[in-house]
Amino acid sequence: MAKKWGITALLLFGVYALGMYFYIFHSDSGGIPTALKGTVADPHVFMSERELYLSEEYSKIKNFLFFVAAPFEWLILFFILITGISQAFERWIPLQNRWAIWQNAVYLFLLSLLMFIVLFPLEYYRYSLSKYYGISTQNFNSWMRDNVIEFWVNFGTTVVIVTVLYWLINKSTKKWWLNAWLLMIPFSIFLMFIQPVLIDPLYNDFYPLTNKELETKILSLAEQANIPTEQVYEVNMAEKTNALNAYVTGIGSNSRIVLWDTTLNRLSENEILFIMAHEMGHYVEKHIYFGIAGYILTMLVGLWLTAKLMRRIIARHGRVLKINRINAIHSLPLFLLITSFLLFVSSPLSNYISRYQETRADQYAIELVVDPEAAVSTFQELTKAGLSEVNPPLLVKWFRYSHPTMLERITKVANEIGKEE
């Protein structure tokens, strides 16, 4: 039976990957509407022929990798279950009668190491691809260092979460999801609070903005927006990427407005001020707190669905999946598979909400800085730096785009200019 399930899973993955290949590489979706050709939103206007070619080629490969990566991970987790590898990892634990956290740490190390090794070729291909197309500037040693740091940060966090999770499942196999959700709320907020000061600096160096004249202008915008901030941070990303970015992270006293040094090096002062006004728009609109509330609600629904699905799947197919009971640590790959699947299928909704918030932040920035030309040129530069599609296919937009497409963003600003004229 397990062999039959394995062959079926491989065939389904193959058919899905083939379908996505034809959709992304050979469908006619996307492109520039006839009415917008030759306008400031048309990449043929602001990108060179080589940039256009690389953008189209790079975007298609990236999109295809995105759509096959998650199902490929599900496939690996599925095979870890049906081949008995997960059960074997649990049997190999040398600390059977010791504290649960140590037993879980050994199991999770074995599982995490296996997933890291199996998925490494895909991650390395993504890194090589980004390097080949001139997006990444990071050397291999630095890239590996980031991967190792990420492995251990995720491992340490997961050991704590999984230990508490399976303790709750042992306490109540029916209501564990509700108790887990209640505990995850303060834990998630705590992680958001410490991320800017403890986790992010593990990967990059953050320091106050060195251009004090620019900082004064940014703080002046913040004052207009009634934002109580005294400092803007920059981060050294030029040694890793040519892409541009700025963002707001953290909550409360640990919140930060951060500019990549690539953004500082490539954009004009007016373009940087527009980006900062956009980030301030998120603060003014309280998007961080709406995001936290949405995350908490999503966790509640996700944990409830996961609990229902795990019980039903184990009851019906536990023998094939080599799962004896839900409260055994070897059931974890099923938990990870279900939660990953739910996150993937719910991403169009979360992306839709995010795009709405980004549109609001764009509108706020346009009104605050009153410089639509800088807004247009900013979006154009962001497109060129990331070799982005300005109008991706519909499925790509639904599943990948947490921001409006550049076609939508540039067109909106161009319409604002038209109204003024």
Side-chain angles (χ1 to χ4, degrees), residues 33-47:
T34 304
L36 295 178
K37 288 184 177 179
T39 67
V40 290
D42 186 350
H44 291 84
V45 171
F46 60 86
M47 295 177 76

Side-chain angles (χ1 to χ4, degrees), residues 2 5-7 9-10 74-85:
W5 279 38
I7 293 172
L10 283 172
W74 306 338
L75 188 67
I76 300 304
L77 290 169
F78 179 72
F79 271 92
I80 287 173
L81 287 170
I82 66 171
T83 57
I85 292 175

Side-chain angles (χ1 to χ4, degrees), residues 222-365:
E223 186 178 357
Q224 293 178 52
N226 296 316
I227 298 175
T229 183
E230 298 178 355
Q231 206 165 51
V232 179
Y233 290 86
E234 63 177 286
V235 55
N236 61 326
M237 292 298 296
E239 61 186 27
K240 294 184 177 182
T241 183
N242 284 318
L244 313 179
N245 197 17
Y247 59 90
V248 176
T249 186
I251 57 174
S253 60
N254 279 4
S255 60
R256 288 182 174 183
I257 298 177
V258 180
L259 269 167
W260 287 11
D261 59 353
T262 52
T263 304
L264 292 166
N265 296 336
R266 183 159 175 172
L267 297 187
S268 69
E269 185 176 277
N270 288 343
E271 291 166 343
I272 292 171
L273 290 175
F274 174 79
I275 287 180
M276 286 291 92
H278 171 95
E279 298 304 330
M280 292 172 191
H282 286 303
Y283 181 94
V284 172
E285 296 275 341
K286 296 181 171 53
H287 290 162
I288 292 176
Y289 299 101
F290 281 119
I292 293 172
Y295 177 70
I296 291 172
L297 179 61
T298 300
M299 280 200 303
L300 175 63
V301 176
L303 285 170
W304 175 76
L305 281 173
T306 300
K308 295 288 185 183
L309 290 170
M310 281 190 75
R311 266 211 314 268
R312 185 168 299 181
I313 291 171
I314 292 173
R316 292 186 179 183
H317 309 294
R319 186 174 61 84
V320 179
L321 296 173
K322 308 287 193 301
I323 299 176
N324 298 329
R325 60 193 189 283
I326 191 173
N327 60 346
I329 189 67
H330 66 255
S331 69
L332 181 62
L334 179 61
F335 175 87
L336 297 175
L337 194 160
I338 292 171
T339 53
S340 176
F341 175 79
L342 292 176
L343 283 171
F344 185 81
V345 298
S346 65
S347 57
L349 176 60
S350 58
N351 284 337
Y352 175 82
I353 295 171
S354 177
R355 287 196 298 271
Y356 171 77
Q357 292 179 336
E358 295 296 336
T359 299
R360 294 282 298 175
D362 280 348
Q363 184 61 42
Y364 181 85

Side-chain angles (χ1 to χ4, degrees), residues 393-408:
L394 189 60
L395 285 180
V396 175
K397 177 182 174 181
W398 284 356
F399 281 88
R400 291 206 66 197
Y401 276 56
S402 59
H403 289 60
T405 66
M406 285 302 180
L407 185 74
E408 294 169 333

